[in-house]
Amino acid sequence: QQPVQSPQAVILREGEDAVINCSSSKALYSVHWYRQKHGEAPVFLMILLKGGEQKGHEKISASFNEKKQQSSLYLTASQLSYSGTYFCGTHTLYNFNKFYFGSGTKLNVKP
Amino acid sequence: DAGVIQSPRHEVTEMGQEVTLRCKPISGHDYLFWYRQTMMRGLELLIYFNNNVPIDDSGMPEDRFSAKMPNASFSTLKIQPSEPRDSAVYFCASRFFRNTGELFFGEGSRLTVL
């Protein structure tokens, strides 16, 4: 039930935009996004609870398409501090705590 | 407030030895999770507790792995005997049931089994 993320890796220059996708073969009941910097713990970015929901966090936003069973994370005007690995996660219908993370997308923002 | 605290941060041991990883969740959080992170398998949920009670341990790879939570402020993950394929970063995370599901992760324990 692990969600699939794409792309696996992205290299950007400062100021460029990126989109990270997260999809599942099974129904997504919520989508969480986390960022993990090298050698550190994952840090929560945002959660989308309803299909069609969109959220923003500074210049990082996300959308959730329940019908397509996918979510996208949008990073606009990227900054060096955005570098890290981004994970999406979701859970099963009847267990909000049995949480599955995607394989991650490594983002490298260069000057 | 202090975050989730894990120890040790790094552990190097030899195959066959017992390994004990420790976690102190954020005070007031009633869910505690153990995850394992490797390059090959990513972040895997091993086990989680609610109010100190193990709820789901289906992610524990083998009987060599065990976890306990004797009280609300302490949990252990034990591997006995350890094997080289257990080498990974083990994360503990906690959350409060009323929030929107945000997990607070500890800094992780990097285990190397030689």
Side-chain angles (χ1 to χ4, degrees), chain A residues 58-92:
Chain A
E58 296 177 344
K59 293 181 181 178
I60 301 174
S61 61
S63 63
F64 178 20
N65 188 323
E66 193 174 15
K67 288 184 179 179
K68 291 185 178 180
Q69 298 177 177
Q70 67 183 35
S71 174
S72 296
L73 186 71
Y74 306 94
L75 300 104
T76 57
S78 59
Q79 305 168 14
L80 295 176
S81 62
Y82 287 2
S83 292
T85 301
Y86 290 79
F87 294 95
C88 69
T90 185
H91 66 90
T92 60

Side-chain angles (χ1 to χ4, degrees), chain A residues 2 32 34 36 39-44 47 49 87 95-103, chain B residues 9 31 33 35 37 41-43 45 48 56 58 91 95 100-103 105-107 110:
Chain A
Q2 186 178 31
H32 303 221
Y34 286 76
Q36 183 179 29
E40 298 181 8
V43 174
F44 176 80
I47 179 173
L49 293 171
F87 294 95
N95 191 337
F96 193 76
N97 292 299
K98 192 142 189 177
F99 196 73
Y100 297 92
F101 283 96
S103 54
Chain B
R9 291 293 310 277
Y31 282 89
F33 305 81
Y35 281 89
Q37 185 175 38
R41 300 175 69 90
L43 273 164
L45 175 62
Y48 76 90
D56 190 323
S58 59
F91 286 102
R95 79 170 184 92
T100 54
E102 176 181 354
L103 292 174
F105 283 84
E107 293 295 314
R110 180 175 293 276

Side-chain angles (χ1 to χ4, degrees), chain B residues 19-49:
Chain B
V19 173
T20 299
L21 307 178
R22 298 171 178 80
C23 175
K24 177 179 168 54
I26 293 174
S27 178
H29 282 193
D30 41 12
Y31 282 89
L32 182 140
F33 305 81
W34 283 100
Y35 281 89
R36 177 172 69 176
Q37 185 175 38
T38 60
M39 288 293 292
M40 291 297 293
R41 300 175 69 90
L43 273 164
E44 301 175 275
L45 175 62
L46 300 178
I47 185 173
Y48 76 90
F49 296 81

